[in-house]
Amino acid sequence: MRRARLILWIAVGIAAVIAAALFFARPAPAPTSTADSSFADIGGPFTLTGSDGTPFASPRLAGRPFAIFFGFTHCPDVCPTTLARLARLRKALAKGDKAFAILFVSVDPERDSPAEMGRYSGLFGTPVIGLTGSPAAIAAVKKQFGIFSKKVPQPGGDYSVDHTATVLLFDRAGQFSATIATDEGDGPALDKLKLLTS
């Protein structure tokens, strides 16, 4: 009886070892990438208000690559620096102002009127399409483009706005193509724009 029991326990042990070996030896499941699907969801048709006070609908960009940046006219550093950089990169591309459009969308529609957007967008020595709209319209477009923004109270009752500082690039078909980050060198950024406008 003892011998039978011993054989049984040995058999159970061997089976456990084999099962463990089979478990750890099996190939790991292929990772599922959500990048393509999430990128495909960025962007889409929109209508906002241009600096002349009239509606600006995204079909006006059909067949033209564009860079879109979300910010606000009271921004102390990131916004003017980014727009000046886009102007500089477009000049370095040496394909003229029509090579790609630069869109600047307000995340502060309470203060950024069409006229204010027009004034601000005209400071960079190159055509910049300044867009604003109602808070609801801006919220909808931010959601479409995956943009974060949040009011930050300042002393004296004023406020600033924290926001996504990445430039989004879209091809001639209106499909998301790439990003330009604030800490990215001009060389890689220019390469992306060359590819976008080729």
Side-chain angles (χ1 to χ4, degrees):
M1 185 74 175
R2 274 185 195 173
R3 188 174 177 188
R5 228 180 250 176
L6 183 60
I7 292 171
L8 180 61
W9 280 114
I10 291 172
V12 169
I14 292 172
V17 170
I18 292 172
L22 288 173
F23 178 81
F24 288 110
R26 69 182 181 176
T32 55
S33 173
T34 59
D36 291 342
S37 60
S38 64
F39 287 163
D41 291 340
I42 295 178
F46 64 86
T47 300
L48 289 172
T49 304
S51 58
D52 60 358
T54 64
F56 182 98
S58 54
R60 289 173 62 175
L61 299 166
R64 187 178 182 193
F66 64 93
I68 185 167
F69 176 70
F70 289 73
F72 62 114
T73 63
H74 289 70
C75 181
D77 43 35
V78 173
C79 300
T81 300
T82 300
L83 290 172
R85 184 187 189 202
L86 285 173
R88 185 175 71 250
L89 288 171
R90 187 158 67 182
K91 184 176 181 180
L93 195 61
K95 293 185 178 182
D97 290 339
K98 294 185 178 180
F100 66 94
I102 299 173
L103 276 63
F104 176 52
V105 180
S106 175
V107 294
D108 185 16
E110 294 175 30
R111 292 186 296 195
D112 288 342
S113 66
E116 182 65 14
M117 291 298 287
R119 183 198 67 78
Y120 189 82
S121 297
L123 297 176
F124 300 96
T126 191
V128 174
I129 300 169
L131 300 173
T132 187
S134 68
I138 293 297
V141 173
K142 285 195 308 178
K143 184 176 181 181
Q144 277 181 265
F145 287 82
I147 298 300
F148 163 85
S149 73
K150 182 181 179 181
K151 277 187 179 182
V152 180
Q154 301 290 310
D158 199 2
Y159 67 89
S160 185
V161 184
D162 284 348
H163 61 91
T164 302
T166 303
V167 175
L168 306 177
L169 302 180
F170 289 80
D171 64 19
R172 287 181 173 84
Q175 298 299 308
F176 175 76
S177 173
T179 63
I180 298 176
T182 54
D183 59 352
E184 186 172 350
D186 280 1
L190 192 57
D191 287 342
K192 290 177 183 179
L193 291 171
K194 286 176 181 176
L195 184 63
L196 186 73
T197 58
S198 60

